Amino acid sequence: MIWRRLLAALPSVAGIIVVTFVLTRALPGDPAAYFAGPAASREAVEEIRAKLGLDRSLSEQFLLYLGDLARGDLGTSLTTGQPVLSDLEVRLPASLELTMAALAFAIAVALPLGILAARHPGSWIDHLTRLIITAGVSLPVFFTGLILVYIFYYLLGWVPAPLGRLDAFSAPPPPVTRFFLIDSLLAGDIALFRAALAQLALPALTLGLFALAPIARMTRASMLGILSSDFIRTARTAGLAPRTVLVTYALRNALLPVVTLLGMVFSFLLGANVVVEKVFAWPGIGSYALEALIASNYAPVQGFVLMMALLYVGLNLLIDILYSLIDARMRIEA
Amino acid sequence: MKNLKGLLAAVALVLVTAPTATAQSRNETLIVVVESGPNTMDIHGLGANRPSYQASWNIYDRLLTYGVKSLPDGTRSYDHSSLKPELAESWELAPDGMSVTFKLRRDAKFHDDTPVTAKDVKWSLDRAVSIGGFPTFQMKAGSLEKREQFEVVDDYTFRVNFIRKDKLTLPDLAVPVAIVINSTLAKKQATADDPWAAEWLKRNEAGSGAYRLEAWKPGEQTIYVRNDQWKSGPLPKIRRVIVREVPSAGNRRALLERGDADLSLDLLPKDVSEIERAGKLNVVSSPIENAHVYLGMNVKTPPFDNVKVRRAIAFAIPYEQILVTAVHGRGTMLYGNPIASNTFGYDSRLVPFRADRLRAKQLLVEAGYPNGFSTTFSFDEGQATVNEPMALLVQEALGIIGIKTTIEKIPGANWRAALLKKNMPLYINVFGGWLNYPEYLFFWNFHGQNAVFNTMSYKNPTMDRIIEAARFEQDPKKYAEYVRALVLLSVSDVPRVPIYQPLLDVTMQKNIKGYQYWFHRYLDYRQLEKSDASSVAQNQKS
């Protein structure tokens, strides 16, 4: 089943390669003029265009690009001066660590909130949930981020400076997974783990607040539907413990749409990262791609989109597997 | 739920107890926060951005550097009129004035301990004049154009032969691009396709400067460590410099105010004036030499081909309002005068234009546009914090005399391409020259050679003639007359209206001393000092 799904993803990946290639070329900027420097004459710009290979025809450029891709070469970023692949290698874990921490926080808060709200509709906890949902949806991420920095860093001084993954004096742990929280524990460096966690807390909270709303709302709605269904009524009348009814029967069935949503929220967060990354100087892929886009720097943009596409394919696969674990019917159909 | 509570408590505990166990190393380390960092370690490289000037300036030495002077307000600046030795111990002009011979210091070593010799100097200058792009262009400004000009006499003697007498030749050897590279090391990395080792020097340094590159993560931070073997000047005080990239301007300010960073070069004008009033941090503001923010007009396209229209616009600009509202007072008004306040030839009595609505309207009528006209008005969105309020003020003022403008914001990355096309009718732009000579400004901005900085496509044979004459004039009195003539001609033709001279604002902790302004506007770590951190601690508490 896994192989079939992976094969089915191939055409969409191919399509993405073509579309990003064409779209980046359609951007209004002129990379040659940008990189020729402040004093460049028109001839100098043309010289640089030739150096970058941008004077060739589009189809020729595309074939060259495909050749490079086949060799695993994503090109070189002109804004960082590094190969795109090594840039992504360093930056993707930063984004993933942030996103996963944010998602973990969001799930930890949203699931209980949603369940309790559904269990006691109209109660204070239901209203609280509604308030949090509304706030989470309506407050822009950059605003929450700046406010949190202002309160917890500037006024209270509880969290370290918003300087990215580590403060200026700590060196990153030896890279194994490139997740600083995991690597620092692997290296047995508790102080570093704390430092990394302290840096991560505020950005993860910012992003998590944003992700919390849809998850809580979906959990509540889905639980409400299930709790009023026949089999729950049967279970209750059969005298099963309320906890068993709620967790084993209701929650398990209510989780299906939530898991689907989680997949969407996760991929969405990876994109929404860019604002949080800017506010917290977080060296992730979102700000990387954005800067490249602004400079009409083709290679990193293409590399970024391609990587995201592959990531989504993997994520969808993962969600399908989760589905079959939660819902036995899926296994039978497959 | 219990687990969750425990987790939250643990997180809170970590957060409260984590900060700063590192006060020791802080005293010897300077933390600089910037909006963006270098994209290459090679200032000659393709697409080297401005922050890379700072890296190159501190990592590499040049033959010459500039002296220091104290300004009337107590701040310090480089002195463009005095050249000082760096890698060259002494130098001597030939009797015919057509070459200069440098004696190199014998104790200078590159960071890998190879001695610095004349062949390294030649290789590096050869590279600058032949690699193309910006470095080659900048070398040309000092009549340094051909490899044959550079001659190795012996290991420690080096000669530059002139192709013409140009007073900018020696000053041009002290600008950031005139670096001396370890040629032995670089040549090992050169290939047939890449004879100048551009690929390798992009990511690695091969310098002899006062600081070595310790670590560089593009987009995150650059760490420099002092080169204790450095002999080209007094040993710097700061041992380590961490330049951290913080994209959000508000956070850069917060970091300084909380004492977590020592210095920033790029805060917003509004923040700087607030910080200055609060008085907790030091702000050093230097008028940027040979620089002005201007309103440009494309003289090739009607109606801006009509000098009366251009004069009308110059009289319509609300100069004082721009200074107060858009720039927050952080600049010197120029009122159309192209010469900045600290450049030769500046005359504070010369106020070519003032906001005068009636005069502007009358000129517009005389030009044959009694009912005004419509046009587009462009600016660089990358500089929107200043450009946007300024554009709105100008738009409003032009509206009053009947000129309707549609504002077009151009993204920062596309701005250069837009300037190169030279087809924007009306726009805001800025020019800043490294070499502080008026004719240098005129040569790039008003000469009919139509360099990219002549954004107006302005061409006047009289102007060209005076510029050429001023460039090579030896007699100071005649030179001053030429400069005056250039100013007056540019004001009467008014292809652009210089509005104000911007300030370079550097904000730092009170225990940071020795900051010095440089024409390239970036930090030189060598002059900075940091006294003990007690005052920082006080800052944090208050």
Side-chain angles (χ1 to χ4, degrees):
Chain A
M1 178 195 109
I2 292 177
W3 286 113
R4 208 175 336 136
R5 287 209 52 105
L6 278 181
L7 273 180
L10 275 183
S12 43
V13 172
I16 282 162
I17 292 177
V18 177
V19 170
T20 43
F21 181 86
V22 175
L23 276 186
T24 44
R25 262 61 180 183
L27 286 174
D30 181 355
Y34 186 76
F35 291 103
S41 60
R42 233 172 272 197
E43 298 77 58
V45 173
E46 288 316 311
E47 199 184 303
I48 278 157
R49 200 183 305 285
K51 256 193 195 171
L52 296 174
L54 297 174
D55 56 339
R56 299 163 197 254
S57 72
L58 262 191
S59 48
E60 213 176 326
Q61 287 184 45
F62 185 62
L63 284 179
L64 284 174
Y65 173 61
L66 283 187
D68 286 344
L69 265 190
R71 276 180 281 118
D73 178 3
L74 293 180
T76 302
S77 159
L78 295 168
T79 30
T80 60
Q82 309 297 309
V84 171
L85 197 63
S86 70
D87 273 347
L88 291 178
E89 227 169 75
V90 175
R91 285 168 168 268
L92 181 62
S95 285
L96 284 179
E97 189 171 35
L98 173 61
T99 309
M100 285 176 176
L103 202 62
F105 165 77
I107 293 173
V109 177
L111 274 189
L113 266 185
I115 296 169
L116 285 177
R119 185 80 183 75
H120 312 283
S123 69
W124 65 271
I125 196 137
D126 193 17
H127 290 302
L128 178 74
T129 310
R130 199 168 296 137
L131 183 78
I132 292 176
I133 289 172
T134 317
V137 169
S138 54
L139 290 176
V141 180
F142 74 89
F143 180 75
T144 339
L146 286 176
I147 285 284
L148 288 178
V149 169
Y150 182 69
I151 297 174
F152 291 104
Y153 168 65
Y154 187 79
L155 292 182
L156 299 175
W158 288 3
V159 294
L163 274 178
R165 302 180 80 183
L166 280 178
D167 61 88
F169 291 98
S170 307
V176 183
T177 59
R178 289 187 193 273
F179 282 55
F180 282 5
L181 289 184
I182 298 174
D183 285 359
S184 59
L185 285 183
L186 287 180
D189 190 341
I190 297 297
L192 190 64
F193 175 78
R194 278 180 165 194
L197 185 60
Q199 293 291 140
L200 182 65
L202 223 47
L205 187 67
T206 310
L207 202 58
L209 281 179
F210 179 65
L212 198 151
I215 302 176
R217 202 177 56 182
M218 183 60 94
T219 313
R220 180 180 175 274
S222 167
M223 277 300 270
L224 269 181
I226 300 279
L227 282 176
S228 60
S229 62
D230 290 348
F231 75 93
I232 292 292
R233 201 186 50 201
T234 314
R236 278 184 179 145
T237 44
L240 287 176
R243 195 181 164 79
T244 319
V245 174
L246 195 66
V247 178
T248 317
Y249 291 93
L251 184 60
R252 185 158 181 183
N253 284 290
L255 268 185
L256 272 185
V258 177
V259 168
T260 321
L261 183 80
L262 281 184
M264 276 161 62
V265 168
F266 183 81
S267 35
F268 188 65
L269 284 189
L270 265 181
N273 259 344
V274 57
V275 183
V276 178
E277 284 172 9
K278 283 276 173 201
V279 171
F280 292 94
W282 199 263
I285 42 165
S287 51
Y288 176 70
L290 185 73
E291 269 151 38
L293 201 60
I294 290 174
S296 306
N297 188 356
Y298 300 153
V301 177
Q302 287 164 184
F304 168 78
V305 177
L306 186 64
M307 188 200 60
M308 289 297 259
L310 294 178
L311 212 63
Y312 285 171
V313 170
L315 195 69
N316 279 330
L317 196 67
L318 191 75
I319 287 173
D320 284 348
I321 295 171
L322 268 180
Y323 254 39
S324 57
L325 288 181
I326 296 172
D327 190 344
R329 282 170 300 179
M330 301 289 285
R331 263 170 287 179
I332 296 162
E333 271 167 37
Chain B
M1 285 307 280
K2 255 187 195 151
N3 287 343
L4 182 68
K5 255 188 212 160
L7 184 71
L8 284 179
V11 170
L13 189 73
V14 168
L15 292 185
V16 175
T17 49
T20 55
T22 40
Q24 265 298 306
S25 48
R26 278 225 52 173
N27 275 340
E28 301 172 327
T29 305
L30 183 80
I31 301 189
V32 181
V33 283
V34 295
E35 178 165 16
S36 58
N39 62 350
T40 173
M41 284 297 136
D42 178 12
I43 194 172
H44 294 166
L46 172 66
N49 62 4
R50 284 172 180 275
S52 71
Y53 303 169
Q54 182 169 311
S56 162
W57 185 256
N58 288 288
I59 291 171
Y60 287 93
D61 276 342
R62 288 141 203 85
L63 284 175
L64 303 174
T65 189
Y66 288 95
V68 193
K69 65 181 175 193
S70 286
L71 299 178
D73 63 351
T75 60
R76 305 200 312 157
S77 162
Y78 89 102
D79 180 1
H80 78 93
S81 60
S82 93
L83 285 167
K84 292 275 185 259
E86 195 156 270
L87 282 174
E89 232 167 25
S90 64
W91 60 97
E92 203 178 339
L93 269 175
D96 66 348
M98 284 307 283
S99 71
V100 59
T101 307
F102 296 92
K103 286 275 173 212
L104 304 186
R105 66 172 67 245
R106 285 166 188 265
D107 52 1
K109 285 185 172 156
F110 288 109
H111 294 160
D112 67 349
D113 275 347
T114 334
V116 180
T117 61
K119 70 171 187 349
D120 297 302
V121 182
K122 172 158 174 65
W123 191 80
S124 308
L125 295 181
D126 281 355
R127 188 177 195 258
V129 298
S130 36
I131 199 163
F134 171 57
T136 305
F137 223 67
Q138 178 63 39
M139 296 301 275
K140 250 184 215 163
S143 298
L144 298 164
E145 298 174 13
K146 288 189 283 224
R147 291 195 217 178
E148 294 74 49
Q149 288 179 260
F150 309 120
E151 192 186 328
V152 175
V153 180
D154 62 47
D155 268 2
Y156 293 99
T157 316
F158 177 74
R159 185 173 297 143
V160 176
N161 296 302
F162 299 161
I163 45 175
R164 66 182 81 88
K165 282 185 191 169
D166 185 337
K167 62 171 171 288
L168 297 187
T169 301
L170 282 178
D172 208 27
L173 286 172
V175 299
V177 296
I179 50 172
V180 175
I181 305 168
N182 185 341
S183 66
T184 326
L185 185 59
K187 274 186 197 158
K188 278 187 209 150
Q189 309 294 336
T191 60
D193 285 345
D194 180 17
W196 298 113
E199 211 35 59
W200 188 78
L201 283 169
K202 192 153 86 178
R203 281 172 217 128
N204 302 279
E205 55 118 324
S208 62
Y211 285 85
R212 305 161 184 266
L213 181 68
E214 184 184 295
W216 176 40
K217 276 196 209 160
E220 260 187 271
Q221 69 176 10
T222 318
I223 303 180
Y224 305 82
V225 62
R226 188 175 67 196
N227 168 17
D228 290 336
Q229 315 298 319
W230 193 59
K231 294 290 187 304
S232 307
L235 194 66
K237 303 270 191 327
I238 304 273
R239 195 180 290 272
R240 208 153 165 258
V241 181
I242 300 179
V243 181
R244 200 70 185 230
E245 296 177 31
V246 180
S248 150
N251 280 353
R252 288 197 294 279
R253 175 181 172 177
L255 284 161
L256 277 165
E257 293 194 317
R258 292 277 314 167
D260 284 326
D262 293 318
L263 190 147
S264 178
L265 286 159
D266 44 8
L267 295 184
L268 302 180
K270 182 173 158 287
D271 286 340
V272 174
S273 41
E274 283 173 20
I275 287 173
E276 210 168 34
R277 257 178 275 136
K280 269 168 63 180
L281 298 163
N282 273 352
V283 177
V284 176
S285 304
S286 320
I288 299 173
E289 285 178 350
N290 221 2
H292 59 230
V293 172
Y294 65 92
L295 189 73
M297 290 164 273
N298 190 327
V299 301
K300 290 249 156 132
T301 44
F304 298 107
D305 55 344
N306 186 332
V307 66
K308 283 194 170 149
V309 170
R310 305 201 294 265
R311 292 181 67 82
I313 286 180
F315 277 112
I317 296 173
Y319 298 93
E320 268 89 11
Q321 249 176 304
I322 288 175
L323 184 66
V324 174
T325 316
V327 195
H328 297 273
R330 315 209 69 77
T332 312
M333 270 295 123
L334 292 172
Y335 303 104
N337 183 351
I339 296 203
S341 64
N342 42 8
T343 298
F344 178 84
Y346 175 71
D347 179 357
S348 62
R349 289 162 306 177
L350 181 69
V351 179
F353 305 101
R354 282 212 183 267
D356 183 343
R357 219 177 273 168
L358 293 175
R359 184 105 184 259
K361 184 75 200 170
Q362 188 196 340
L363 277 161
L364 212 53
V365 174
E366 283 172 29
Y369 296 94
N371 299 319
F373 55 86
S374 302
T375 187
T376 42
F377 181 21
S378 321
F379 66 82
D380 174 3
E381 213 181 353
Q383 308 292 323
T385 43
V386 172
N387 278 347
E388 186 146 27
M390 184 159 133
L392 291 175
L393 287 171
V394 172
Q395 184 186 40
E396 190 193 354
L398 291 181
I400 292 174
I401 60 167
I403 301 172
K404 285 177 244 1
T405 49
T406 316
I407 287 185
E408 181 196 27
K409 301 179 203 177
I410 297 182
N414 299 345
W415 182 244
R416 228 173 257 163
L419 282 179
L420 271 171
K421 283 193 201 128
K422 298 201 179 188
N423 60 3
M424 292 182 285
L426 184 71
Y427 50 89
I428 297 171
N429 193 29
V430 59
F431 175 81
W434 274 353
L435 302 175
N436 192 14
Y437 295 86
E439 73 277 15
Y440 182 74
L441 173 118
F442 279 98
F443 181 68
W444 291 118
N445 292 276
F446 292 91
H447 193 283
Q449 60 162 347
N450 216 353
V452 57
F453 301 119
N454 182 354
T455 48
M456 313 80 69
S457 304
Y458 170 72
K459 208 167 197 161
N460 181 340
T462 318
M463 178 68 90
D464 295 359
R465 206 160 28 81
I466 311 175
I467 293 172
E468 297 293 346
R471 276 183 84 189
F472 307 111
E473 181 54 63
Q474 309 285 329
D475 175 11
K477 214 180 137 221
K478 266 195 181 159
Y479 171 69
E481 277 166 21
Y482 284 140
V483 171
R484 185 79 182 172
L486 288 175
V487 173
L488 294 179
L489 187 56
S490 79
V491 167
S492 79
D493 278 355
V494 65
R496 72 163 67 162
V497 193
I499 297 177
Y500 72 93
Q501 177 188 9
L503 286 180
L504 176 70
D505 293 313
V506 185
T507 311
M508 59 195 112
Q509 299 296 341
K510 292 218 155 145
N511 64 335
I512 308 293
K513 299 272 181 304
Y515 169 76
Q516 177 184 324
Y517 170 83
W518 279 97
F519 58 90
H520 50 68
R521 292 172 243 162
Y522 283 93
L523 267 193
D524 189 331
Y525 313 140
R526 292 174 292 188
Q527 292 102 36
L528 294 169
E529 283 176 51
K530 187 171 178 180
S531 49
D532 75 88
S534 59
S535 58
V536 179
Q538 269 166 14
N539 255 351
Q540 265 169 334
K541 272 173 210 141
S542 56

